[in-house]
Amino acid sequence: MDTTLEVFFSALPENLSANNISYKKGQIGQIVNGYFDEFPVLEEDSKINLAIVGVEEGRGTPNNHPTGKAPNFVREYLYKLFIGDYNCNIVDLGNIKQGATINDTYFAVKTVVEQLVKKDILPIIIGGGHDLTYAQYLGYEKLEQQVEVAVIDQKIDLNGEDPEAKDLNSDTFLNHIILNEPDFLFSLSSLAYQTYFVSQQTIQMYDKLFFTAQRLGVISTKIADAEPVLRGADLVSFDMGAIRQSEAPGNKNAGPNGLYGDQACQLARYAGMSDKCSSIGFYEYNPDSDIQGQTAKLLAQMIWCFMDGYYNRKNDAPLIPKSSYIIYRTTLENEDYELVFVKSKMSDRWWMQVPYRGFKSVNERYYLVPCRYEDYLAALEGEMPDVWWKTHQKLV
């Protein structure tokens, strides 16, 4: 057993165990290796793909108590769902115990994410407040890589009026991610935000830092535009408040507008299909505000969709062999370099090559950023794709 991580966890309640519930063949509860008696073995040769991690912490979400009770409510419905047509190797590590202070919980989440990602095991975090995204992010600090973060939320949890705000909670955690030292954040994307919840100072800060923000209206009109953004993210964080209250009442901050349930599931599946995504967190579910378990059922289905996407990954990020891709080149008027697009023959997904502004190495001359077919069409018309320009500004 992995005693290093076991100290952070409490075991799952016996009423979820296959010893007490007659799960049907193919249901997740019958397949998952859960922490009931012994902590699961997490060695690299165990071939585990996914790990469910609950977090019993709600002190960082001042307007949505008590989110710390969320994980077991979700498991009740998740365990009854049937897996798809794939071999599923998943563990449920139980719940990270609430620390003596909230910083103790952050440390535990950070350590768990770091160790799981190092073992190539993808943590599926069920929180807890949205502030836990910061601890999830810190799990990448020692992994020696730049990190791309995608957040799905009705708001942008950034204090644009006071960028150096020291209070850390579910309304300000993005300030802490942006200002964290050492700085290993490459990009930050906010999806499904509602404009009337976001200050102009915040939008201006996003523009200044070349971050990406997609309004709810854009995603509702063409949800496929969110796919390249999620395909480029290492870390995905989903606030249940992004979903309209009629679909997911289990969140005190939910409003009359927001994502529909099927849209939330589609975004979760996009994240799962991303070859790059190595952790995901689902936050801000409040069982006390739920009606007949409706939100827990939806969240369970969102996790199922993420898992389904994960086990249907194409592993076709443009590396090798070159025969698997089609290269398209176009030159913008008045520009002295060409735009290079790469299309996967396997999945029909697109990427752009964005050259580094400074010298990297012979083998690392450009950065591959996911894009849409529409970006290629725009380039043909002489228009610089916004994602190319923003990425180029961040490359040194």
Side-chain angles (χ1 to χ4, degrees):
M1 73 177 69
D2 195 323
T3 55
T4 304
L5 295 184
E6 183 182 2
V7 296
F8 297 122
F9 287 90
S10 59
L12 295 165
E14 285 296 327
N15 67 326
L16 292 174
S17 172
N19 295 329
N20 296 306
I21 296 181
S22 298
Y23 292 111
K24 296 178 182 178
K25 184 178 180 180
Q27 285 184 320
I28 293 175
Q30 187 255 340
I31 295 170
V32 68
N33 177 18
Y35 177 24
F36 292 100
D37 298 317
E38 293 187 3
F39 195 72
V41 175
L42 298 176
E43 299 305 321
E44 293 183 8
D45 59 357
S46 61
K47 298 181 180 180
I48 296 169
N49 308 127
L50 304 173
I52 298 172
V53 176
V55 187
E56 297 175 338
E57 178 62 77
R59 288 172 290 186
T61 175
N63 301 318
N64 194 33
H65 289 303
T67 55
K69 301 194 301 184
N72 291 339
F73 281 86
V74 176
R75 288 183 175 101
E76 181 181 345
Y77 299 101
L78 177 63
Y79 278 21
K80 294 177 182 177
L81 301 180
F82 290 89
I83 65 166
D85 186 19
Y86 43 76
N87 293 322
C88 181
N89 196 343
I90 182 170
V91 296
D92 191 332
L93 302 182
N95 297 324
I96 292 178
K97 294 173 284 190
Q98 180 175 288
T101 68
I102 195 168
N103 287 328
D104 293 330
T105 306
Y106 292 153
F107 176 79
V109 173
K110 168 190 173 181
T111 305
V112 170
V113 170
E114 177 185 313
Q115 293 302 314
L116 291 178
V117 172
K118 279 183 177 179
K119 297 176 187 292
D120 200 24
I121 299 172
L122 192 155
I124 301 174
I125 303 168
I126 307 173
H130 207 190
D131 56 302
L132 293 172
T133 305
Y134 178 58
Q136 181 184 350
Y137 171 75
L138 291 179
Y140 291 81
E141 186 172 6
K142 297 180 181 179
L143 300 182
E144 298 181 352
Q145 67 176 77
Q146 288 189 306
V147 177
E148 300 195 46
V149 176
V151 179
I152 303 167
D153 193 356
Q154 65 174 338
K155 303 180 296 179
I156 296 179
D157 295 315
L158 177 69
N159 187 337
E161 296 180 359
D162 183 11
E164 297 186 7
K166 299 193 182 303
D167 290 340
L168 172 57
N169 55 48
S170 59
D171 292 328
T172 62
F173 69 88
L174 288 179
N175 293 75
H176 294 262
I177 288 178
I178 293 170
L179 296 175
N180 184 74
E181 292 293 342
D183 178 17
F184 51 94
L185 177 68
F186 180 73
S187 73
L188 174 61
S189 301
S190 289
L191 306 177
Y193 80 92
Q194 298 175 41
T195 309
Y196 35 75
F197 291 140
V198 180
S199 71
Q200 285 304 302
Q201 291 92 337
T202 295
I203 296 297
Q204 291 166 7
M205 181 178 291
Y206 258 55
D207 289 341
K208 182 179 180 181
L209 296 173
F210 307 109
F211 293 157
T212 299
Q214 289 187 350
R215 294 184 296 108
L216 173 66
V218 173
I219 290 179
S220 296
T221 303
K222 191 175 181 182
I223 196 169
D225 283 357
E227 187 278 329
V229 179
L230 291 168
R231 187 174 6 129
D234 301 280
L235 179 161
V236 176
S237 172
F238 205 125
D239 187 321
M240 294 301 290
I243 306 169
R244 59 181 59 204
Q245 189 178 47
S246 59
E247 304 276 297
N251 181 293
K252 289 183 179 179
N253 297 316
N257 291 310
L259 297 167
Y260 286 99
D262 60 324
Q263 294 172 329
C265 287
Q266 182 64 67
L267 292 176
R269 192 171 195 276
Y270 283 152
M273 290 187 67
S274 165
D275 298 328
K276 194 175 180 184
C277 177
S278 54
S279 75
I280 188 168
F282 297 92
Y283 302 109
E284 297 289 337
Y285 165 51
N286 183 344
D288 285 4
S289 298
D290 208 0
I291 299 174
Q292 297 181 342
Q294 181 176 331
T295 313
K297 293 173 185 176
L298 175 57
L299 208 166
Q301 291 169 17
M302 290 163 60
I303 294 173
W304 185 96
C305 288
F306 177 85
M307 293 170 56
D308 187 70
Y310 176 88
Y311 284 109
N312 283 282
R313 287 185 171 185
K314 304 301 182 183
N315 296 312
D316 65 344
L319 295 173
I320 53 174
K322 291 185 178 180
S323 60
S324 299
Y325 309 97
I326 304 174
I327 305 297
Y328 297 84
R329 302 175 186 274
T330 182
T331 303
L332 299 182
E333 190 175 350
N334 300 324
E335 297 288 353
D336 58 359
Y337 48 80
E338 62 183 359
L339 299 187
V340 181
F341 292 82
V342 183
K343 178 185 175 183
S344 167
K345 293 180 181 179
M346 184 185 303
S347 66
D348 287 336
R349 297 190 293 188
W350 289 75
W351 288 260
M352 284 189 295
Q353 294 181 1
V354 182
Y356 284 98
R357 299 168 68 188
F359 178 80
K360 293 291 287 186
S361 71
V362 174
N363 297 320
E364 194 177 5
R365 292 172 294 177
Y366 55 79
Y367 186 88
L368 280 166
V369 57
C371 66
R372 308 166 301 157
Y373 172 59
E374 288 79 1
D375 293 313
Y376 171 64
L377 295 180
L380 288 178
E381 296 295 326
E383 181 181 339
M384 172 70 75
D386 186 58
V387 65
W388 190 100
W389 184 79
K390 284 187 174 181
T391 304
H392 189 57
Q393 298 304 308
K394 290 181 286 189
L395 293 175
V396 293

